[in-house]
Every structure is written in C-alpha cells, then in structure tokens.
Amino acid sequence: MGATTGPDGASVRARRRWAVVALVVVLGLGVGGYVLYEQVRPYLHGTGCEVTTSEGKKPLDLEQGANSATIAGVAFRKQLPERAVVIAYATAIQESHLHNLEGGDRDSVGMFQQRPSQGWGTPEKLRDPVTSTSKFFDALVKVKGYLDRDLHDAAQRVQRSADGDAYARHEPDGRLLARAFTGREPATVRCWYPPDDDAAPRRAEAVRELRRAFGSRLQVVVPAPAGQDAVRVTSRRSGWAVAHWAVTHARAFGLTDVRHDGRRWTARNGHDGWQRDEDAPGDRVVLR
C-alpha cells in the first residue's frame, strides 16, 4: 500500500505535528521553569539560621547565630569546658534572646544585660559581643564550684538578677546550642539569606574578628590561594566551631563559601546546609 493520503491522512499528520509542538512547548516550559526556580530559589527562604543536633532543632536569626558562635569562640580562647558555654547560652537567652541590645532595664546593655553602674564596663564595650562574653566568663569562673552547681545558681551568682530561677528553663536550649557551636557535632549549623551582589567580600576583616573571638591559637595560612583565606585549626572540634562561626558571620563579611572537613557551605545555597566536598581540608577552614 502507498503512503496515507487524502483528508484523513493529512489530519493524522497535522495531529502528530501538533503533538510534537505541544511536547516541545511543555518541555521548554519545564526547563524554563526549572531555570527560573533555580534563579529565584535563594530568595524564597528569606533569612535565618537553624541548629540541628542530637538535642533537637532550634531556629535563630542571623544575629542570634552570630552571637552564639561568638560565645563558643570566646570559650575556646579561654579554654573553658562545654558546661560553661551552656551556662552562658542559658543566661544570654534569658537576658536578651541572644541579641546585642542597645539598652534594657535601667542601664543594662548588651547580650548579658550587664550594667555599667555595677562595674561591668562602659556601655560601648558591653555592646561588643566578644567583650561582654569575655566579661561574663571572667565572672563565672570566679564562682566557686560553678561546674557542679545547678545552672540557675551559677548564672545567678554572676548576674544577680531579680529572678534567678528563670535561667533554668533555658538549659535544654543551651545544651543544644553548645553541641553545635563548640564543634562537638559537626555540620549542624546552617544559615541562609537572599544573595546580595553588592556585598564586597571582606575576608581579611572576617579573619581578624574570628581570631579576636577565638584567640591567636588560630593561625592564618600563608600564603593562601588567590581569592580565599584559610585558618589552621588544632582539632576537628575546633575546626567545626570555626566553620560554624564563619557561616553565621558570612553575610556580615560578604563570605560566599566555607569549606572544612569534607563539607562545603555556600551562601547561594545556604538553606541546603553543608554539602559533601571531598577536597575540603580537615586541618583548615577555607573562606571565600
């Protein structure tokens, strides 16, 4: 038999052509939609951080995340045990919800709501998270047997608050945060925010602030490859404390990429958290 001809054959061919056209359009829309989604996805999640450990999950805003990382960093510099960090977190959550407040009750300022009139220091210094945390720990270690005391008792002996028992309710959150930010549980902090193409990277400033919190034991790797800085760490735990600090401070310093211990976090996909990266070094935290 010959090829299909006539009105019926033309109709069949027309339907086939329209089916092909429709398939191409659908595929094109699908690909285009996926490309569009990938472009807008970093903007869909808003801004925030999340800590996920064996103790549970806790959402934080970027300031709370950065302050939490700073508390752990100062504890690392002072070589304090994790229990001290838990006490500091519970105290700061009660006093300020981990925010660096400009003011408060009477002349109280900062994360720990320390009062200049009670000898804690000047308002300017107490609004600096590194300084206020350092002063809190300096007072805490003077409390005899603080590691063996109930948390609210140890915190109250530092703070002299009107309601010292209030610190106790935040101990579970303090333990959760400490597991992540002291580096005990790796890759447990993720932060995300819409990309800002105008944010110039300030890696050198980030490294200086990082070492101000963690101390001079963190050595900058010199020379570092072009376009990145690296900080040498002394252990896996300290490495993840530094890496989590970098993620929570990424927006402030224009960091786009943090790599450590076989994992990588990128600002563009911050909501996805830490992804596998076989080339990420274990003895350094790499910042881009």
Side-chain angles (χ1 to χ4, degrees), residues 43-82:
Y43 297 89
L44 298 178
H45 300 295
T47 300
C49 296
E50 185 177 71
V51 180
T52 305
T53 74
S54 58
E55 295 277 343
K57 290 185 179 182
K58 184 172 179 61
L60 302 171
D61 61 32
L62 288 183
E63 183 188 358
Q64 291 172 316
N67 288 336
S68 297
T70 294
I71 289 172
V74 174
F76 175 86
R77 168 162 55 84
K78 292 179 174 293
Q79 301 184 56
L80 297 176
E82 187 173 321

Side-chain angles (χ1 to χ4, degrees), residues 147-282:
L147 292 174
D148 299 318
R149 294 180 181 273
D150 290 339
L151 183 144
H152 69 275
D153 182 25
Q156 174 66 352
R157 287 173 184 267
V158 175
Q159 297 295 106
R160 304 295 180 184
S161 171
D163 183 11
D165 291 340
Y167 300 114
R169 70 171 69 105
H170 304 296
E171 185 167 356
D173 279 343
R175 289 198 303 266
L176 185 157
L177 294 176
R179 283 179 174 271
F181 286 104
T182 66
R184 185 204 283 210
E185 296 189 19
T188 49
V189 178
R190 62 184 178 125
C191 295
W192 59 90
Y193 46 87
D196 184 357
D197 295 334
D198 297 326
R202 298 184 291 126
R203 292 187 306 274
E205 292 179 47
V207 170
R208 284 196 296 272
E209 186 65 15
L210 176 63
R211 296 185 74 217
R212 193 168 76 91
F214 281 79
S216 59
R217 282 183 293 161
L218 294 183
Q219 298 297 315
V220 180
V221 177
V222 179
Q228 70 179 42
D229 286 280
V231 177
R232 198 179 306 281
V233 293
T234 57
S235 66
R236 188 169 189 254
R237 185 165 182 169
S238 66
W240 277 108
V242 169
H244 290 155
W245 184 98
V247 166
T248 59
H249 287 79
R251 189 180 195 184
F253 291 103
L255 305 179
T256 60
D257 192 295
V258 181
R259 299 170 66 226
H260 177 60
D261 192 29
R263 299 291 189 110
R264 181 182 187 184
W265 172 92
T266 62
R268 181 164 185 79
N269 299 300
H271 195 269
D272 295 338
W274 293 88
Q275 305 300 307
R276 295 286 182 183
D277 180 357
E278 294 181 357
D279 296 326

